[in-house]
Amino acid sequence: MKTVKQLLDTKQVRIISVTENTSVLDALKVMTEKNISALLVMEDSELLGIFTERDYARKLILQGKSSKDTLIKEAMTADPITINLADTIDKCMEIMTEKHIRHLPIVVNAEVKGMISIGDLVKFIIEDQKQTISQLESYISG
């Protein structure tokens, strides 16, 4: 069974974060610059929460709040669900499906190691299946 560590080994690890006192507007600017849809909210190395486009839509736009005047700590999802390097890809898919979330921070011994998205999982699964098919084709024809 494939693990989060194996997935993480295939991608460039970037830990992009803001502090809880960052304005939502500034966080959105970071997200736009980095072309991402979720940011970790951290204080030093401690994970406090996660801020996603969904948080923005539900906690600001629909509430009529200002992005410039609202701090991330008011809009983030505190204490996000996390995974570790030994967790399986299947477990991650199960968590994302059951909890209706698209991002999972990876934490080992209270240290953030990265984050995976549903897109990362799908890409990893497709690549793994391609390798399996190629190996089976080689076995059958060889």
Side-chain angles (χ1 to χ4, degrees):
M1 188 121 343
K2 299 289 182 172
T3 66
V4 171
K5 181 179 182 341
Q6 290 170 302
L7 184 155
L8 211 55
D9 288 344
T10 68
K11 68 177 267 183
Q12 178 185 359
V13 177
R14 301 183 305 168
I15 299 172
I16 302 170
S17 67
V18 294
T19 66
E20 64 181 351
N21 292 315
T22 302
S23 73
V24 169
L25 181 61
D26 287 341
L28 291 170
K29 287 178 182 177
V30 171
M31 292 166 74
T32 300
E33 288 170 13
K34 304 294 184 181
N35 194 29
I36 56 176
S37 57
L39 272 175
L40 297 176
V41 181
M42 299 176 66
E43 196 63 46
D44 297 319
S45 63
E46 181 185 1
L47 178 65
L48 303 176
I50 187 170
F51 177 73
T52 67
E53 291 172 336
R54 182 178 289 172
D55 291 323
Y56 177 65
R58 293 180 178 177
K59 297 175 184 172
L60 265 82
I61 297 298
L62 293 176
Q63 303 294 324
K65 294 182 180 179
S66 164
S67 301
K68 188 168 58 171
D69 300 327
T70 305
L71 298 179
I72 283 292
K73 67 181 167 186
E74 299 171 51
M76 72 181 186
T77 299
D79 301 317
I81 298 167
T82 63
I83 55 174
N84 65 55
L85 295 172
D87 285 329
T88 66
I89 298 305
D90 287 347
K91 179 180 179 181
C92 295
M93 292 292 285
E94 184 179 313
I95 292 169
M96 288 180 169
T97 301
E98 286 179 4
K99 302 295 183 184
H100 303 284
I101 57 177
R102 298 182 191 137
H103 300 87
L104 288 169
I106 304 162
V107 179
V108 177
N109 298 323
E111 182 182 345
V112 176
K113 297 292 186 179
M115 182 165 54
I116 59 171
S117 69
I118 190 73
D120 294 330
L121 288 175
V122 170
K123 181 180 174 186
F124 184 78
I125 290 167
I126 289 170
E127 287 302 315
D128 187 53
Q129 288 176 345
K130 282 181 183 177
Q131 285 181 347
T132 300
I133 290 168
S134 178
Q135 289 170 352
L136 289 171
E137 286 174 339
S138 292
Y139 176 76
I140 291 168
S141 65

